[in-house]
Amino acid sequence: TFNLFARDLQVPLKLEEAVPALVGGHVQLVDTAEVNGKLFLCNSVMGLMPSLVDARESIRGKSFFQRLRDMAVAVGRLVRRYPRLTVTVDLGKGPQTITVRSLAVTCNPYEEKLGALPMRPHMDTGRLALYQIGHRGRLGMLWLLVSVALGHWKQSTAVSEWMAPELTIAGRGASIQVVNDGEVLSLELPLH
C-alpha cells in the first residue's frame, strides 16, 4: 500500500529513522473515515483499482522479473478492457449520475506535488474528497499518470474533485468491489 498513511504523517519509511521519530514524536489527532461501516485511513477506491489490487496479490512471492512481467500483462489486459463505471453520487445537494474509469474517496484532500504518489498535507480537515477519473483514451490515461508524477494532475480535464463531510454513491447491482487502503472488499450498494 506504499505506506501512504506514514508518508502523509511524515513518518520516515526506513526503520532506523522511524524509531527515533517515534520516540521523539508527538500525539496528533487525525480524521478517519468509513464506508458502510468499514474503516479507512487514506482512501476508498472503485473502478480500475480492485482489478489492479487483485493482480498485485496474484504475483506475491514471485521473483522481481516475474512480478514485473505478470503485472505488465495484467495492466495491459485491464487497459485493453478499460471498463467504465456508472454511479449516482450525492454530496448532499442532490444525486448526480456520472460515468467514470475510477472513483476515489479520500479522508482529507490530496495536494498536487511532484512525485508518483499524491499526499494529504492536512489530516484533520473533517472533509472527504471525491476524485473522479473521467473518460479518457489509453493515451489520455498515460498522460494523466505523467501529470500525477509532475504534480499538476488536478488541472487535467480528466479529473474532477469535490469536497463534502459525507456522501452517498449508488450504482447498478446489489454490491460493488472497492479497495479500502489496499484491501479489496465487496460492499452492498449504496455506499455511505
Side-chain angles (χ1 to χ4, degrees):
T1 60
F2 303 107
N3 291 317
L4 296 178
F5 192 59
R7 289 173 192 271
D8 290 340
L9 291 175
Q10 299 180 5
V11 173
L13 300 182
K14 293 182 179 177
L15 183 61
E16 58 274 6
E17 296 171 9
V19 171
L22 176 64
V23 171
H26 64 280
V27 174
Q28 177 182 347
L29 295 177
V30 298
D31 295 334
T32 62
E34 65 177 47
V35 56
N36 292 12
K38 301 291 185 182
L39 180 75
F40 66 94
L41 300 172
C42 298
N43 56 45
S44 184
V45 185
M46 62 198 76
L48 295 173
M49 187 58 79
S51 297
L52 289 174
V53 171
D54 284 342
R56 180 193 71 193
E57 292 302 313
S58 72
I59 63 174
R60 284 191 190 269
K62 295 183 177 181
S63 74
F64 172 77
F65 292 110
Q66 287 175 319
R67 288 193 319 261
L68 190 61
R69 180 199 66 212
D70 291 355
M71 194 59 159
V73 168
V75 168
R77 264 192 235 121
L78 187 60
V79 167
R80 276 193 305 279
R81 244 187 27 201
Y82 208 48
R84 290 186 172 106
L85 175 67
T86 299
V87 294
T88 301
V89 177
D90 190 343
L91 299 161
K93 299 175 184 172
Q96 176 184 358
T97 300
I98 57 175
T99 299
V100 297
R101 299 296 184 185
S102 272
L103 196 63
V105 177
T106 63
C107 182
N108 297 296
Y110 288 132
E111 73 173 348
E112 290 185 311
K113 189 175 183 180
L114 188 64
L117 299 172
M119 293 181 68
R120 299 170 296 158
H122 304 286
M123 303 294 285
D124 58 358
T125 67
R127 293 182 299 161
L128 298 171
L130 176 70
Y131 297 98
Q132 166 192 334
I133 308 299
H135 293 284
R136 284 299 195 128
R138 293 179 183 112
L139 288 177
M141 286 304 289
L142 181 60
W143 180 246
L144 179 59
L145 293 174
V146 170
S147 296
V148 169
L150 295 175
H152 56 81
W153 54 275
K154 286 186 181 184
Q155 299 159 25
S156 170
T157 57
V159 177
S160 298
E161 176 186 50
W162 296 291
M163 304 293 171
E166 61 183 279
L167 58 100
T168 301
I169 300 171
R172 299 176 186 146
S175 64
I176 191 168
Q177 280 198 317
V178 300
V179 176
N180 272 13
D181 293 338
E183 179 183 355
V184 178
L185 305 170
S186 182
L187 298 178
E188 288 185 14
L189 287 167
L191 305 176
H192 299 282

